[in-house]
Amino acid sequence: MEEFRMARAFSPATIVRLILPSILLIPVWLVMIAVIPDRHRLDLVLIAAGATVSLAAVRSVRWRQLSAATVARLSPEGVEMQDWYGSRVRLAWDDVEGVAVVDSRIPSPRTITRDGRVAVRTGARECVGLAGWGTYDIPPNAPAWLSAHRARLPIDPASGLRRITIPLGAIDPQWEFGSMGEAVRHHRPDLLQAKAGSLPA
């Protein structure tokens, strides 16, 4: 079994995503400062600066935790991914239908060619991954939104497998051209012969 973790935990797109909420607070603080009496403005400025820095720090720590816990594993049986929430998706090689642009909770900094057009996906929550029919396990204490997301996935009545995607691009935006791509070619050489694009629903 080969295990892959995030090659680059931080990218320009990631940094922008982390600090953007803090930047958006600045106009709010400016309005509040403008209506506060002069003798209290310095206190409010210090509070605003501290809150802005604290928010950015909290988001940075959570991002590091998310990055460290996100791992993809490729074995002779198939491919799986585990994330910070404790969820685990698995695809047997025979059940992988193709390479596609898939949704991810982790933004990808790469540019993706899709449907014959070039779409710049910097920071977008999409990346290139694998799609097919597999299993999706979540822990008993999973957040409600994660349980709801799994419940919405189509289920194949014949096999009981769910329609899932594995966002390998969350691990490495250029995975097709690296060691992960070589591992995929070893088990399913047909998957990377065609250009990555959308799969039919």
Side-chain angles (χ1 to χ4, degrees), residues 27-142:
V28 177
W29 294 123
L30 291 176
V31 171
M32 292 180 64
I33 291 171
V35 300
I36 295 295
D38 291 344
R39 64 181 180 275
H40 297 302
R41 284 184 181 175
L42 180 59
D43 294 339
L44 186 58
V45 168
L46 295 176
I47 293 173
T52 302
V53 171
S54 297
L55 176 61
V58 168
R59 289 177 62 83
S60 176
V61 169
R62 182 168 180 178
W63 174 259
R64 286 183 179 275
Q65 292 173 337
L66 177 66
S67 302
T70 302
V71 56
R73 299 181 180 93
L74 283 75
S75 69
E77 291 73 35
V79 56
E80 70 175 50
M81 179 175 281
Q82 183 174 347
D83 64 20
W84 183 66
Y85 300 97
S87 64
R88 180 176 298 178
V89 289
R90 298 184 184 90
L91 280 171
W93 289 117
D94 289 343
D95 296 322
V96 178
E97 293 187 342
V99 176
V101 177
V102 303
D103 291 332
S104 169
R105 287 185 290 273
I106 303 175
S108 172
R110 72 174 289 188
T111 299
I112 298 172
T113 302
R114 187 175 185 180
D115 297 333
R117 296 174 288 110
V118 175
V120 178
R121 296 288 177 180
T122 302
R125 290 175 180 261
E126 291 185 337
C127 64
V128 176
L130 302 178
W133 297 91
T135 60
Y136 194 145
D137 300 324
I138 60 176
N141 60 343

